[in-house]
């Protein structure tokens, strides 16, 4: 008999080729899974986080217009002459971020002093001071308020969730009504 070595070699080559194809297929599937995982940023409830923009402004021009109300003259050194602590600034947000999240992050980024406390009864943060200007520094009814699109929201700042496109203004008022 004659040994058919050529047929064995062809079968062996075919087997090797099929194994390579399977390895490549497995690698492609793994790569797809890894990339899918990396690019689908998920929140706790499974919805994809979407990025959008809001604007933030911090001002105390009411105090500038009523300088006689200032109870601590040493604070004038921290207050800009025009009363604008932060000009209208575009901020990128992710779905679910709150007015407080944006304020706190931007103040840290821009090196603006901020102090706040958590109020359990309201389950919200309360902003006590920005740029060394605190509640009661311009009278019994003075302090920080925020407006969204020009309106008072009646929500704590860490309760108000942003959708995107809002204009947020933090304003120091001398006589809160």
């Amino acid at each position: 008999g004659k040994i058919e070595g050529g047929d064995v070699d062809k079968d062996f080559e075919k087997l090797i080729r099929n194994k390579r194809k399977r390895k490549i297929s497995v690698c492609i599937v793994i790569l797809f899974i890894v990339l899918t995982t990396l690019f689908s940023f998920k929140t706790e409830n499974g919805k994809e986080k979407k990025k959008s923009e809001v604007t933030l402004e911090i001002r105390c021009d009411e105090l500038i217009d009523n300088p006689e109300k200032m109870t601590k003259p040493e604070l004038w050194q921290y207050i800009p002459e025009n009363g604008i602590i932060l000009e209208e600034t575009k901020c990128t947000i992710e779905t679910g971020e709150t007015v407080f999240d944006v304020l706190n992050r931007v103040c840290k980024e821009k090196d603006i002093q901020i102090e706040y406390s958590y109020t359990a009864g309201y389950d919200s943060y309360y902003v006590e001071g920005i740029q060394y200007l605190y509640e009661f520094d311009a009278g019994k009814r003075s302090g920080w308020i925020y407006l969204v699109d020009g309106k008072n929201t009646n929500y704590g700042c860490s309760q108000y969730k942003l959708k995107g496109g809002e204009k947020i203004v933090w304003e120091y008022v001398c006589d809160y009504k």
Side-chain angles (χ1 to χ4, degrees):
K2 190 175 165 192
I3 299 177
E4 297 283 326
D7 289 342
V8 173
D9 286 344
K10 284 181 185 170
D11 288 342
F12 184 71
E13 282 178 29
K14 199 182 223 180
L15 184 68
I16 296 297
R17 264 198 310 271
N18 286 342
K19 278 189 175 183
R20 280 189 188 142
K21 283 181 185 175
R22 273 198 303 271
K23 277 185 180 177
I24 289 171
S25 296
V26 168
C27 286
I28 289 172
V29 168
I30 290 171
L31 183 63
F32 177 77
I33 291 169
V34 168
L35 289 174
T36 303
T37 305
L38 284 175
F39 289 108
S40 64
F41 303 101
K42 302 280 180 183
T43 57
E44 348 37 270
N45 60 8
K47 291 182 181 171
E48 285 195 24
K49 284 188 178 181
K50 292 189 172 81
K51 292 190 183 292
S52 53
E53 263 187 5
V54 297
T55 63
L56 175 66
E57 185 177 358
I58 306 171
R59 49 191 317 134
C60 59
D61 46 345
E62 187 179 317
L63 183 58
I64 299 295
D65 296 341
N66 299 281
E68 73 284 355
K69 296 200 179 217
M70 175 62 90
T71 60
K72 296 180 179 171
E74 66 274 12
L75 295 178
W76 286 115
Q77 65 181 314
Y78 302 112
I79 299 169
E81 284 184 29
N82 65 358
I84 298 172
I85 295 168
L86 179 73
E87 290 188 10
E88 191 171 300
T89 303
K90 288 183 181 184
C91 312
T92 301
I93 63 160
E94 289 184 354
T95 304
E97 279 196 290
T98 65
V99 169
F100 175 76
D101 294 330
V102 173
L103 175 70
N104 195 29
R105 184 176 65 242
V106 172
C107 281
K108 285 182 175 142
E109 287 170 4
K110 304 282 185 187
D111 203 25
I112 297 170
Q113 183 271 347
I114 182 172
E115 190 168 335
Y116 50 85
S117 57
Y118 180 75
T119 307
Y122 293 104
D123 188 27
S124 185
Y125 284 96
Y126 174 70
V127 175
E128 298 168 6
I130 302 173
Q131 195 64 23
Y132 305 101
L133 188 57
Y134 286 76
E135 60 180 339
F136 313 130
D137 284 344
K140 290 185 284 191
R141 298 174 57 78
S142 65
W144 289 99
I145 65 164
Y146 75 93
L147 305 171
V148 176
D149 296 327
K151 296 181 184 117
N152 194 324
T153 68
N154 295 320
Y155 286 96
C157 60
S158 60
Q159 293 287 318
Y160 192 95
K161 292 190 181 204
L162 298 163
K163 294 173 177 66
E166 294 95 339
K167 179 180 178 174
I168 306 160
V169 178
W170 279 89
E171 200 172 303
Y172 189 82
V173 295
C174 296
D175 192 16
Y176 181 76
K177 292 167 179 75

